[in-house]
Amino acid sequence: MDIKVLGTGCANCKTTIALIEQVAQSKGVPVTLSKVEELRDIMGYGVMSTPGVVIDGKVVHAGGVPSRDKIEKWLAA
Amino acid sequence: MNARVDLPAAREVCPTTTRRLIGEGALLVDVRELDEVAQVAFDVPGTLLMPMSELEQRFAELPRDCQLVLVCTVGERSLKATYFLMYHGYTQVANMEGGIVKWSRKGFPIKGQVPVTASAAGGCCSPASSKSGCC
């Protein structure tokens, strides 16, 4: 599962990455996690509010730190 | 949700070029919030107000058939807004670098006064950094 976190490096973006890492580890789901920090690349997903989360090329979240529940659902899919 | 688009680099223009473009029929689009505009505004007839907080809902009100120059305080939010419009297929968009801070420093017309805090946030051309010779 390829996961990208969109954000220019704010605290919420870092928290989102850490949370996804944590949930993936606890569930034993292998993920490739990367950050997209360039404004042009972020806006290439049409996301105005960050952090944004892209899973396998699809934007699944934009704005605010996603809940643990939400992340668990993404990883279970 | 959203599909990915490979966006080209946004066109960035300085205040002087912006004035020329306005003279040629371009529209200024101010993406600052209304309380910021109440403090200081571009004294340019026909300036459109499209606060960032409303852009996602209202961007379709912006015309696609004329040149738009997006502006804010220092040019950061307007750059984001420029890319947002490009994502949605707008081709005649540009960002004015330096925002109203640089615009007013050039002596171009404004209504009100640029707050000191905004002026200090002018980045490259702020008094503190002018020693570096970047401007």
Side-chain angles (χ1 to χ4, degrees):
Chain A
M1 191 176 278
D2 179 61
I3 304 179
K4 290 182 172 62
V5 175
L6 317 178
T8 50
C10 64
N12 278 350
C13 305
K14 288 172 187 160
T15 306
T16 300
I17 290 170
L19 200 56
I20 293 173
E21 263 171 354
Q22 217 178 74
V23 175
Q25 211 164 28
S26 72
K27 296 273 171 197
V29 179
V31 294
T32 310
L33 197 55
S34 56
K35 292 184 277 186
V36 177
E37 295 184 307
E38 281 293 319
L39 182 63
R40 173 158 53 133
D41 297 331
I42 293 169
M43 294 314 295
Y45 288 96
V47 167
M48 279 290 277
S49 310
T50 56
V53 179
V54 178
I55 297 183
D56 294 332
K58 271 190 179 171
V59 177
V60 295
H61 175 83
V65 177
S67 67
R68 180 175 278 271
D69 269 9
K70 204 169 173 184
I71 297 172
E72 283 177 359
K73 277 179 193 148
W74 295 335
L75 298 185
Chain B
M1 279 171 89
N2 308 354
R4 185 177 174 273
V5 175
D6 204 1
L7 297 174
R11 181 183 177 200
E12 299 224 52
V13 292
C14 67
T16 306
T17 302
T18 300
R19 283 196 97 187
R20 180 175 58 76
L21 291 173
I22 292 166
E24 293 169 0
L27 284 175
L28 215 54
V29 181
D30 192 342
V31 300
R32 295 175 304 142
E33 299 305 315
L34 297 180
D35 58 329
E36 297 174 90
V37 177
Q39 278 192 313
V40 58
F42 291 87
D43 193 3
V44 175
T47 299
L48 300 175
L49 303 181
M50 180 64 68
M52 280 298 266
S53 59
E54 299 174 18
L55 184 65
E56 275 184 285
Q57 288 77 42
R58 293 184 45 210
F59 76 90
E61 295 171 22
L62 297 172
R64 289 176 185 266
D65 57 356
C66 76
Q67 175 70 51
L68 305 177
V69 181
L70 282 83
V71 294
C72 66
T73 306
V74 294
E76 286 180 15
R77 280 175 290 173
S78 53
L79 178 60
K80 188 174 179 179
T82 302
Y83 278 123
F84 181 77
L85 293 183
M86 288 166 67
Y87 179 85
H88 286 282
Y90 283 75
T91 52
Q92 299 184 76
V93 284
N95 176 46
M96 188 181 84
E97 37 140 323
I100 199 166
V101 169
K102 193 167 178 181
W103 173 274
S104 68
R105 199 178 289 133
K106 290 267 184 190
F108 295 162
I110 56 168
K111 285 182 273 191
Q113 202 168 6
V114 176
V116 178
T117 47
S119 181
C124 157
C125 291
S126 63
S129 63
S130 60
K131 288 177 195 157
S132 65
C134 85
C135 298

